[in-house]
Amino acid sequence: MNTYSNHAIVFGNERLSIEDVVDIANGASAALNPEPQFQEKIQRGSLFLDRLLQEEGVIYGVTTGYGDSCTVAIPQELVNDLPLHLTRFHGCGLGDDLTHQQSRAVLATRLCSLTQGVSGVSMALLEQLTTLINQDIAPRIPQEGSVGASGDLTPLSYVASALIGEREVFYKGERRRTAEVFQELGISPIQLRPKEGLALMNGTSVMTALACLAFKRAEYLAQLASRITAMVSVAMQGNSFHFDEALFAVKPHPGQQLVARWIRDDLQASVPPRNSDRLQDRYSLRCAPHVIGALQDSLPWLRQMIENELNSANDNPIIDGDNERVLHGGHFYGGHIAMAMDTLKTAIANIADLLDRQMAQLMDTKYNNGLPRNLSGSTDHQAPINHGFKAVQIGISAWTAEALKHTMPASVFSRSTECHNQDKVSMGTIAARDCLRVLQLTEQVTAASLIASKQAIEIRLKQNEIEEGQLSHALLLMVRSLQESFEFVSEDRPLEDELRQCVTDIQAEKWTLYL
Ligand SMILES: N[C@@H](Cc1ccc(O)cc1)C(=O)O
């Protein structure tokens, strides 16, 4: 953490990107737009609310109960306590906690929404959120309990609670009472003004934060799956002409064309390999650009959906201080993120499935064009007792099945809830959590596929069926880099630690793949 301390992301100025959120998640600091116009806009919103409260006396969520309870009038003397109650009755999250990194991403996405300047919050609230980011204090946020359409009310109540010094936070790797950490660092809890509890909680910031993190991992996996396809093609002595430029010129999906180009470049060799026995490789090789391309071609519109949600005022009501209007609507609804995450998890699970099929071919002497059974590297009298990657391939099948199982769309499981006020909801947070799970499983499949395809290439080299000079520069570098961490499997050994290391390497984006 805090390796990004020199790099402050400015909120309340320009549109933020997925990368900005991921940078904050990984330790970058945050700053509020210092220009007076920004501060004035924020103040106009909160002053307008104050005035409205005095003059008219009825504001939804300020002088009324929440949601279906909007018909309940709140007496003047209880108005100030209302936000506190909102944060507290939503303190019912369950399931695993978001990680420290994910919690930081949530702070960033909520700050981005509130700095749109139409939520009626004070500068003090925005500053407190910024302080949490910059002091690396991450609210403890349980993952479960949001239907994603009244906003991520329950998980965001944990952000609101942290700002007022309640509940718990993660600080320096420990789970601590917020009040204790604040006292240690000399941070004063803020008091929530009318509407501020709602403004903090009534939006899509949890699902959007998770979507930003998922997007970057997906982007990397598309590249890594392309690299593995090239490695498997070499190891299978497959046909490089399946990735021909002229072939892809007649199918004008730009992402698919790009993936074909990546694989083509990776396969560039002085003597292009050609499998004369089998003119057309099986689909998991031949159609890899079509499978990975479906993901690659989805990325631009997924980015657009995620970034539009990120840069939105996902709140209700909207407080338009400039025109002195209170706009009632449903901007807490996470339909776009739900659709984006349901789509992304399906595209990613297809990558797991593709690699699973490639690995199934690679291990099987009926299909692998002369590689040893299960890629066993043992050649001496011990060979009969060696089973090489047999169990790893079974693992790949298990991880793939589990990834595919998680692709059930979440958005179609809307439940009418909260006395039928929230009678259609997005389930976007569930979709985003599914997507992260699918990513984790697919990264495991990818790690195993990387180590196995490297082993297969090493076997071809050892069998003198290819020479290093026949590998493209990129593939040679990749194999060498993998060799630094993962030793050739000549005798059976437990591979768990190496697989875990490889998953970590993938998540750290260790290899720069295609520029
Ligand atoms: N999302 C609701 C507000 C709400 C808040 C808390 C609840 O428990 C229920 C509803 C709205 O803006 O209309």
Side-chain angles (χ1 to χ4, degrees), residues 337-374:
I337 296 292
M339 207 49 74
M341 292 297 96
D342 275 347
T343 303
L344 188 59
K345 74 192 189 196
T346 303
I348 294 295
N350 267 285
I351 301 294
D353 199 22
L354 178 82
L355 296 178
D356 177 45
R357 295 301 81 210
Q358 291 183 358
M359 290 305 113
Q361 287 193 61
L362 199 60
M363 310 280 162
D364 190 336
T365 51
K366 293 191 282 303
Y367 306 103
N368 68 14
N369 302 328
L371 286 167
R373 230 176 270 120
N374 304 303

Side-chain angles (χ1 to χ4, degrees), residues 152-168:
D152 287 315
L153 289 167
T154 288
L156 286 175
S157 77
Y158 289 77
V159 172
S161 295
L163 298 187
I164 59 177
E166 293 192 358
R167 293 187 214 168
E168 293 161 327

Side-chain angles (χ1 to χ4, degrees), residues 60 66-67 86 89-90 150 153 198 202 316 332 418 421-422:
Y60 163 73
Y66 298 112
L86 178 66
F89 76 77
H90 271 287
S150 197
L153 289 167
L198 204 51
N202 214 1
N316 182 57
F332 43 67
E418 202 240 309
N421 176 45
Q422 300 177 30

Side-chain angles (χ1 to χ4, degrees), residues 285-326:
L285 277 180
R286 195 173 6 133
C287 304
H290 308 73
V291 178
I292 306 168
L295 166 62
Q296 188 67 29
D297 277 303
S298 302
L299 292 174
W301 68 264
L302 290 172
R303 175 184 285 279
Q304 189 188 46
M305 299 242 274
I306 296 167
E307 289 186 344
N308 281 343
E309 189 69 30
L310 169 65
N311 290 282
S312 72
N314 44 96
D315 189 7
N316 182 57
I318 296 299
I319 310 298
D320 178 0
D322 293 342
N323 301 301
E324 307 221 324
R325 292 183 67 196
V326 177

Side-chain angles (χ1 to χ4, degrees), residues 218-254:
E219 230 180 21
Y220 192 66
L221 274 188
Q223 297 199 6
L224 207 44
S226 305
R227 172 66 39 94
I228 291 168
T229 298
M231 291 171 73
V232 174
S233 176
V234 168
M236 293 278 292
Q237 301 194 313
N239 298 303
S240 55
F241 53 70
H242 294 318
F243 313 103
D244 187 88
E245 189 170 1
L247 175 64
F248 280 89
V250 299
K251 196 136 195 243
H253 296 296

Side-chain angles (χ1 to χ4, degrees), residues 5 14 36 51 57 218 454 515:
S5 46
E14 284 170 8
R51 200 150 20 86
K454 168 232 168 220
L515 299 172

Side-chain angles (χ1 to χ4, degrees), residues 57-323:
V58 184
I59 307 171
Y60 163 73
V62 175
T63 62
T64 74
Y66 298 112
D68 190 60
S69 307
C70 65
T71 49
V72 177
I74 308 297
Q76 190 62 44
E77 70 273 16
L78 294 180
V79 162
N80 284 334
D81 288 344
L82 184 65
L84 204 53
H85 275 250
L86 178 66
T87 66
R88 288 182 180 164
F89 76 77
H90 271 287
C92 57
L94 293 181
D96 290 341
D97 297 326
L98 294 183
T99 64
H100 189 113
Q101 182 207 37
Q102 290 166 341
S103 176
R104 282 181 64 89
V106 172
L107 292 175
T109 49
R110 198 69 208 136
L111 187 55
C112 189
S113 174
L114 296 179
T115 49
Q116 303 303 309
V118 289
S119 284
V121 300
S122 61
M123 276 306 288
L125 182 147
L126 301 180
E127 277 156 10
Q128 187 83 331
L129 271 173
T130 311
T131 300
L132 289 197
I133 293 173
N134 293 344
Q135 299 281 347
D136 203 15
I137 304 170
R140 184 183 73 79
I141 308 175
Q143 296 190 9
E144 296 169 11
S146 169
V147 292
S150 197
D152 287 315
L153 289 167
T154 288
L156 286 175
S157 77
Y158 289 77
V159 172
S161 295
L163 298 187
I164 59 177
E166 293 192 358
R167 293 187 214 168
E168 293 161 327
V169 291
F170 292 115
Y171 182 63
K172 293 196 189 298
E174 280 181 71
R175 178 174 162 171
R176 308 260 313 265
R177 306 291 314 163
T178 311
E180 204 181 279
V181 173
F182 275 16
Q183 201 172 29
E184 213 168 280
L185 298 177
I187 299 169
S188 309
I190 57 165
Q191 270 204 334
L192 295 176
R193 291 160 31 89
K195 168 76 190 4
E196 288 192 334
L198 204 51
L200 278 164
M201 292 163 49
N202 214 1
T204 58
S205 300
V206 173
M207 68 177 88
T208 305
L210 301 185
C212 290
L213 295 168
F215 181 91
K216 290 310 285 181
R217 286 164 74 177
E219 230 180 21
Y220 192 66
L221 274 188
Q223 297 199 6
L224 207 44
S226 305
R227 172 66 39 94
I228 291 168
T229 298
M231 291 171 73
V232 174
S233 176
V234 168
M236 293 278 292
Q237 301 194 313
N239 298 303
S240 55
F241 53 70
H242 294 318
F243 313 103
D244 187 88
E245 189 170 1
L247 175 64
F248 280 89
V250 299
K251 196 136 195 243
H253 296 296
Q256 179 178 274
Q257 290 176 333
L258 185 63
V259 171
R261 194 184 86 205
W262 288 339
I263 300 173
R264 187 165 65 240
D265 288 352
D266 276 355
L267 291 176
Q268 223 159 52
S270 48
V271 186
R274 184 181 192 286
N275 178 0
S276 47
D277 300 336
R278 193 179 171 95
L279 207 51
Q280 300 205 135
D281 292 330
R282 294 180 181 82
Y283 287 14
S284 61
L285 277 180
R286 195 173 6 133
C287 304
H290 308 73
V291 178
I292 306 168
L295 166 62
Q296 188 67 29
D297 277 303
S298 302
L299 292 174
W301 68 264
L302 290 172
R303 175 184 285 279
Q304 189 188 46
M305 299 242 274
I306 296 167
E307 289 186 344
N308 281 343
E309 189 69 30
L310 169 65
N311 290 282
S312 72
N314 44 96
D315 189 7
N316 182 57
I318 296 299
I319 310 298
D320 178 0
D322 293 342
N323 301 301

